[in-house]
């Protein structure tokens, strides 16, 4: 799979006519003869297939190449930028879970209480689910760029509680993690709603209620446990997206990170850097899949047995 | 129900956490400030990389052989106390200052300059700018310990200008020898007022005041008790975030504020705005003389008369820029005021020119007719510098002169080159910066590598090459005045606004001034304002 993404990105990037060094030198007004000399020093004048084989050869030895513009190894550039992306991705997944699962399950206790016969709650019953759906739709449709700007305005400018920018330390992580976490929560909540609907139709849930267990106990012991493997599978798809870097949030909060690195390199046509991030992202997808499988095995009683 | 209260509990906990993290009020004034750069350059090696942005921190780390006076632009001594140019313009002899040491203790002398010239011209360095600043560089001779002669193969009148730029800043030869070309960007050693501390890609570059510095140019303040001792440069690539970080105190100085944000910040207490004119080309559209309809002089002139530049400067740049009138901005050396006011907004004149060129609007649809429909010009629109907004206004304005504009957005600089290489365009937005207008040769000489107007005229060629090779200041001024006049008479460019960098700063910092190139702050002079 890594090979496929490497191959596609390698050739797709070279469809554009100029590499980073050519564009840079053209801008300074350098003659095409000089540019050719520079390109050949970097091996960019070789036939594409040969360049590709060189790249693959380096890759199997763990060599991601060097940036065309600053001569730094791509692996080193990734190392400099990976930690801010990792901490942001993981913390927003956590926030997404903590907010999303309860939101998705919101209202089921009331539904059963209503059916079983707690008349006090019936007043709220018709509103609980529409309200929940409204909240989910709202957070799914709020653009991160807008939310980030609003959070900066409120917490950094008006209240002066948190810094508006940068990476490093909990106080710089909180706002961007909330922005991304809320986005994740929308997806998690939607997924939870669907899964909860399935679980509630199951016999054993009815039996559990029938036995007189409280709504809380049914929700936490039976329903939550049954939906978790599904939630984890959904988080996998979100993680894949987040670990590749989150360009917009990184931009709004002026954070370093892989998204920023990728965007800069793509705009400058610094092919080796772009490819390096693609390789890294592919590895992360594989890793996320493995982690998901392991977690599902642990969480799902059926697979475990 | 229980879930809800659990949720509430979490919210309270989160709020508590936030409160616990809030900063303690009355935080003492630090001597370290944060300076926001507009993006992270592709590399921080001045000899290798080309970005203007890298010079903002590194101008403070390196001294150059000569400096330009920030106000007059005249050359003043730097690491060279004096210099002589041979009558044929092929030999530049620099008499170097004695008693200068680099931050690592290495003594500055002619051998140090030689080591730097070797590095800049070495193929291993793969210099993207510095080597080209040397023009027809043909080598050097070390005359004695404090004298070095730079040799050229053909006269190149911009050489002193080049030696005043940070890209030819003089680095410690010991530091250059100690690390590989690629690693030098992490271990830079100069002889300037600040020493290099660290560069962390993606995150920051830090410099610290060098205590023993005493050999600066005449315009560096020699001593101040309130000076800034350490500066951390961070990258704020999202233009709209820059005003936020300034207001939030995340940075004390940020450049390239969006005009609309700058307008809002004017009334903000505690924040001061500096408007710094940048010499070089204005925001301009180069007009293709080899393609219909801009091949016709009347059409090019009609486009100039039909563009209401004041309205564009008002709307897009919030009046933070002067209107541009010629191929170089008013802040540039040898700018000629004769072009000022030419082609003022005049719809009637514009329409008269088009009719003179034989265009009619037979179908009375508001646009002049051309083969296959309306008279149309194709404009290449890159995304930076608010060019898309400018192009849209121009498109609107040209409706009233009966010309339809087809805007083609391109995403990157390389994409501009690609679009231009097809020849299928009438106007293309492009500009570069520089104090010496020698760059005009690239654009308007018939063999120029960036001759996107396609204009070829032997008279203009000879003026440009003379101006680039003579060292007679008065003659150069006369030549460049004539060049600017020809370019405007031929209507080769549509200039919009002179580039002005709007810098926002915390009012606690005083005496923030910029060098003649405009981009680079003279940070050794900046100091905290003491109440």
């Amino acid at each position: 799979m890594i090979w496929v993404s490497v191959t596609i990105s390698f050739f797709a990037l070279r469809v554009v006519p100029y590499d980073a060094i050519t564009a840079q030198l053209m801008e300074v007004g350098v003659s095409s003869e000089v540019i050719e000399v520079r390109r050949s020093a970097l091996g960019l004048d070789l036939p594409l297939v040969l360049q590709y084989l060189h790249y693959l050869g380096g890759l199997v030895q763990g060599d991601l190449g060097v940036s065309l513009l600053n001569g730094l190894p791509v692996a080193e550039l990734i190392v400099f930028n990976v930690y801010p992306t990792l901490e942001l991705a993981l913390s927003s997944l956590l926030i997404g879970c903590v907010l999303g699962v309860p939101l998705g399950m919101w209202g089921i206790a009331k539904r059963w209480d209503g059916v079983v016969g707690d008349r006090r709650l019936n007043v709220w019953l018709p509103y609980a689910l529409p309200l929940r759906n409204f909240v989910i739709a709202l957070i799914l449709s709020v653009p991160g760029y807008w939310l980030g700007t609003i959070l900066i305005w409120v917490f950094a400018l008006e209240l002066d509680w948190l810094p508006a920018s940068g990476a490093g330390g909990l106080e710089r992580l909180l706002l961007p993690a909330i922005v991304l976490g809320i986005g994740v929560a929308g997806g998690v909540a939607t997924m939870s709603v669907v899964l909860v609907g399935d679980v509630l139709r199951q016999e054993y849930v009815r039996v559990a209620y029938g036995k007189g267990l409280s709504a809380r106990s049914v929700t936490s012991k039976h329903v939550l446990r049954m939906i978790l493997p599904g939630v984890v599978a959904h988080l996998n798809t979100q993680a894949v997206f987040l670990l590749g870097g989150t360009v917009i949030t990184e931009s709004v909060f002026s954070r370093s990170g892989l998204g920023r690195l990728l965007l800069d390199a793509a705009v400058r046509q610094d092919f080796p850097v772009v490819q390096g991030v693609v390789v890294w992202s592919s590895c992360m997808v594989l890793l996320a899949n493995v982690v998901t499988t392991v977690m599902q095995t642990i969480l799902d009683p059926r697979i475990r047995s | 129900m229980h879930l809800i209260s659990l949720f509430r509990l979490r919210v309270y906990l989160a709020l508590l956490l936030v409160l616990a993290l809030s900063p303690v009020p009355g935080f003492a004034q630090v001597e370290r400030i944060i300076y926001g750069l507009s993006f992270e350059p592709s590399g921080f090696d001045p000899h290798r990389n080309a970005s203007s942005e890298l010079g903002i921190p590194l101008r403070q780390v390196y001294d150059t052989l000569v400096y330009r006076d920030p106000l007059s632009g005249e050359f003043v001594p730097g690491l060279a106390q004096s210099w002589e140019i041979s009558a044929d313009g092929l030999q530049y002899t620099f008499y170097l200052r004695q008693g200068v040491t680099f931050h690592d203790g290495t003594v500055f002398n002619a051998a140090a300059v030689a080591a730097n010239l070797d590095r800049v011209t070495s193929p291993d360095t793969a210099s993207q700018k510095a080597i080209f600043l040397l023009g027809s560089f043909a080598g050097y001779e070390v005359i004695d310990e404090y004298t070095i002669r730079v040799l050229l193969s053909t006269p190149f009148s911009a050489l002193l200008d080049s030696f005043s730029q940070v890209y030819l800043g003089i680095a410690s030869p010991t530091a250059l020898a100690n690390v590989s070309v690629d690693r030098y960007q992490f271990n830079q050693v100069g002889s300037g007022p600040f020493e290099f501390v660290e560069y962390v890609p993606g995150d920051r570059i830090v410099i610290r005041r060098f205590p023993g510095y005493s050999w600066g140019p005449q315009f560096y303040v020699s001593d101040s008790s309130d000076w800034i001792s350490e500066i951390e440069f961070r990258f704020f690539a999202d233009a709209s975030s820059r005003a936020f970080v300034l207001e939030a105190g995340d940075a004390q100085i940020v450049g390239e504020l969006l005009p609309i944000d700058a307008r809002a910040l004017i009334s903000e207490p505690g924040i001061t705005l500096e408007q710094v004119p940048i010499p070089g080309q204005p925001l301009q559209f180069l007009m293709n003389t080899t393609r219909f309809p801009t091949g016709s002089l009347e059409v090019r002139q009609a486009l100039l008369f039909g563009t209401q530049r004041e309205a564009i400067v008002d709307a897009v740049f919030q009046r933070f820029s002067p209107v541009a009138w010629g191929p170089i901005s008013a802040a540039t050396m040898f700018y000629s005021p004769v072009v000022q006011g030419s082609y003022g907004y005049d719809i009637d004149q514009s329409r008269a020119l088009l009719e003179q060129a034989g265009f009619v609007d037979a179908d009375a649809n508001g646009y002049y007719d051309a083969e296959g429909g309306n008279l149309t010009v194709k404009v290449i629109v890159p995304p930076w510098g608010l060019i898309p907004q400018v192009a849209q206004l121009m498109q609107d304005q040209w409706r009233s002169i009966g010309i339809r504009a087809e805007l083609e957005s391109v995403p990157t600089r390389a994409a501009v080159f690609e679009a231009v290489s097809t020849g299928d365009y009438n106007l293309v937005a492009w500009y570069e910066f520089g104090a010496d207008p020698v760059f005009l040769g690239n654009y308007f000489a018939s063999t120029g590598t960036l001759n996107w107007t396609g204009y070829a005229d032997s008279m203009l060629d000879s003026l440009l090459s003379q101006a680039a090779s003579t060292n007679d200041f008065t003659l150069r001024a006369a030549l460049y005045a004539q060049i600017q006049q020809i370019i405007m008479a031929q209507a080769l460019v549509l200039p919009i606004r002179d580039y002005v960098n709007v810098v926002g700063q915390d009012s606690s910092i005083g005496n923030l001034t910029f060098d003649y190139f405009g981009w680079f702050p003279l940070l050794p002079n900046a100091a905290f304002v003491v109440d």
Side-chain angles (χ1 to χ4, degrees), chain A residues 34-93:
Chain A
V34 175
I35 294 177
E36 264 324 296
V37 173
R38 292 295 183 83
R39 292 186 76 234
S40 92
L42 291 164
L44 293 167
D45 59 336
L46 297 175
L48 213 49
V49 176
L50 214 55
Q51 289 187 43
Y52 172 67
L53 291 177
H54 280 177
Y55 186 72
L56 279 191
L59 204 55
V60 290
Q61 297 167 43
D63 179 8
L64 290 174
V66 294
S67 156
L68 296 179
L69 289 167
N70 60 26
L72 291 179
V74 173
E76 188 179 348
L77 289 172
I78 290 179
V79 167
F80 271 118
N81 285 283
V82 79
Y83 181 71
T85 296
L86 270 184
E87 68 169 12
L88 182 57
L90 295 179
S91 55
S92 53
L93 284 177

Side-chain angles (χ1 to χ4, degrees), chain B residues 56-111:
Chain B
I56 296 176
L58 297 184
R59 174 77 270 185
Q60 330 301 329
V61 173
Y62 294 98
D63 281 319
T64 42
L65 290 183
V66 293
Y67 282 83
R68 272 182 178 279
D69 182 272
L71 298 175
S72 69
E74 270 173 55
F75 294 109
V76 296
L79 288 177
Q81 265 174 327
S82 62
W83 53 91
E84 272 165 19
I85 305 171
S86 66
D88 59 5
L90 297 177
Q91 299 188 359
Y92 285 65
T93 311
F94 293 98
Y95 300 95
L96 305 177
R97 189 182 290 272
Q98 304 189 13
V100 174
T101 52
F102 292 99
H103 303 144
D104 61 0
T106 306
V107 173
F108 166 77
N109 53 22

Side-chain angles (χ1 to χ4, degrees), chain B residues 334-350:
Chain B
F334 306 124
Y335 167 76
S336 164
V338 291
V339 295
Q340 198 142 354
S342 59
Y343 301 105
Y345 184 54
D346 187 343
I347 296 184
D348 298 333
Q349 177 76 13
S350 184

Side-chain angles (χ1 to χ4, degrees), chain B residues 178-219:
Chain B
N178 276 348
V179 289
S180 72
V181 171
D182 296 332
R183 307 312 297 178
Y184 178 71
Q185 56 190 308
F186 295 110
N187 304 281
Q188 306 196 43
V189 181
S191 66
F194 284 78
E195 62 183 319
F196 179 89
V197 177
E198 62 171 343
Y199 166 43
V200 181
D203 197 54
R204 65 182 179 276
I205 180 164
V206 181
I207 62 174
R208 185 188 304 130
R209 193 172 278 273
F210 182 66
Y213 187 76
S214 62
W215 43 80
Q218 60 198 36
F219 51 84

Side-chain angles (χ1 to χ4, degrees), chain B residues 383-443:
Chain B
W384 57 81
L386 301 174
I387 294 170
Q389 287 87 330
V390 171
Q392 266 166 24
L393 284 183
M394 283 169 23
Q395 189 182 36
D396 284 345
Q397 293 175 0
W398 291 345
R399 276 202 192 104
S400 48
I401 57 167
I403 293 180
R404 203 174 73 84
E406 189 186 306
L407 307 183
E408 186 189 326
S409 299
V410 290
T412 61
R413 303 179 94 79
V416 175
F417 291 122
E418 189 192 359
V420 168
S421 68
T422 64
D424 180 24
Y425 63 96
N426 292 111
L427 293 96
V428 53
W430 190 263
Y431 49 86
E432 68 171 76
F433 304 112
D436 190 299
V438 70
F439 54 75
L440 287 176
N442 279 341
Y443 292 84

Side-chain angles (χ1 to χ4, degrees), chain B residues 72-391:
Chain B
S72 69
E74 270 173 55
F75 294 109
V76 296
L79 288 177
Q81 265 174 327
S82 62
W83 53 91
E84 272 165 19
I85 305 171
S86 66
D88 59 5
L90 297 177
Q91 299 188 359
Y92 285 65
T93 311
F94 293 98
Y95 300 95
L96 305 177
R97 189 182 290 272
Q98 304 189 13
V100 174
T101 52
F102 292 99
H103 303 144
D104 61 0
T106 306
V107 173
F108 166 77
N109 53 22
V113 178
N116 277 267
L117 289 171
D118 287 343
R119 180 172 195 260
V120 166
T121 51
S122 156
D124 291 343
T125 308
S127 171
Q128 296 156 23
K129 178 155 183 162
I131 189 173
F132 307 111
L133 287 175
L134 289 174
S136 57
F137 178 77
Y140 57 80
E141 287 168 12
V142 174
I143 309 289
D144 62 40
E145 202 186 347
Y146 289 100
T147 312
I148 187 166
R149 183 172 295 152
V150 175
L151 311 172
L152 299 179
S153 58
T154 52
F156 178 57
S157 52
L159 192 70
L160 279 185
D161 179 72
S162 299
F163 276 119
S164 77
Q165 296 189 36
V166 63
Y167 309 99
L168 291 173
I170 306 298
S172 157
T174 317
L176 294 178
N178 276 348
V179 289
S180 72
V181 171
D182 296 332
R183 307 312 297 178
Y184 178 71
Q185 56 190 308
F186 295 110
N187 304 281
Q188 306 196 43
V189 181
S191 66
F194 284 78
E195 62 183 319
F196 179 89
V197 177
E198 62 171 343
Y199 166 43
V200 181
D203 197 54
R204 65 182 179 276
I205 180 164
V206 181
I207 62 174
R208 185 188 304 130
R209 193 172 278 273
F210 182 66
Y213 187 76
S214 62
W215 43 80
Q218 60 198 36
F219 51 84
Y220 276 2
V221 174
S222 58
D223 192 12
S224 163
S225 53
D226 302 302
W227 62 18
I228 293 157
S229 56
E230 206 166 286
I231 305 169
E232 176 179 336
F233 298 85
R234 287 185 164 271
F235 316 115
F236 299 99
D238 179 40
S240 50
S241 75
R242 288 180 212 137
F244 273 153
V245 296
L246 186 63
E247 279 187 272
D250 278 27
Q252 282 69 50
I253 306 175
V254 290
E256 293 185 82
L257 287 169
L258 286 177
I260 193 101
D261 290 335
R263 177 66 50 209
L265 284 174
I266 280 183
S267 53
E268 192 70 28
I271 288 174
T272 312
L273 296 183
E274 302 285 341
Q275 298 177 44
V276 192
I278 309 286
Q281 294 175 318
L283 194 177
Q284 63 178 2
F285 290 79
L286 297 159
M287 296 202 249
N288 185 354
T289 60
T290 62
R291 187 179 184 271
F292 178 84
T294 41
S296 142
L297 175 62
E298 285 89 353
V299 172
R300 298 199 298 272
Q301 290 181 327
L303 287 168
L304 273 158
F305 279 119
T307 307
Q308 196 181 4
R309 290 174 260 194
E310 291 83 355
I312 294 173
V313 168
D314 277 4
V316 181
F317 300 103
Q318 302 285 315
R319 299 192 195 179
F320 281 111
S321 293
V323 165
W325 301 106
I328 55 176
S329 74
T332 317
M333 196 53 95
F334 306 124
Y335 167 76
S336 164
V338 291
V339 295
Q340 198 142 354
S342 59
Y343 301 105
Y345 184 54
D346 187 343
I347 296 184
D348 298 333
Q349 177 76 13
S350 184
R351 296 191 83 103
L353 280 162
L354 291 169
E355 274 154 36
Q356 194 182 317
F359 292 104
V360 288
D361 181 14
D363 55 5
N365 69 348
Y367 290 114
Y368 287 105
D369 307 329
E371 204 174 321
N374 300 319
L375 179 59
T376 304
V377 291
K378 184 170 166 187
V379 188
I380 294 174
V381 184
W384 57 81
L386 301 174
I387 294 170
Q389 287 87 330
V390 171

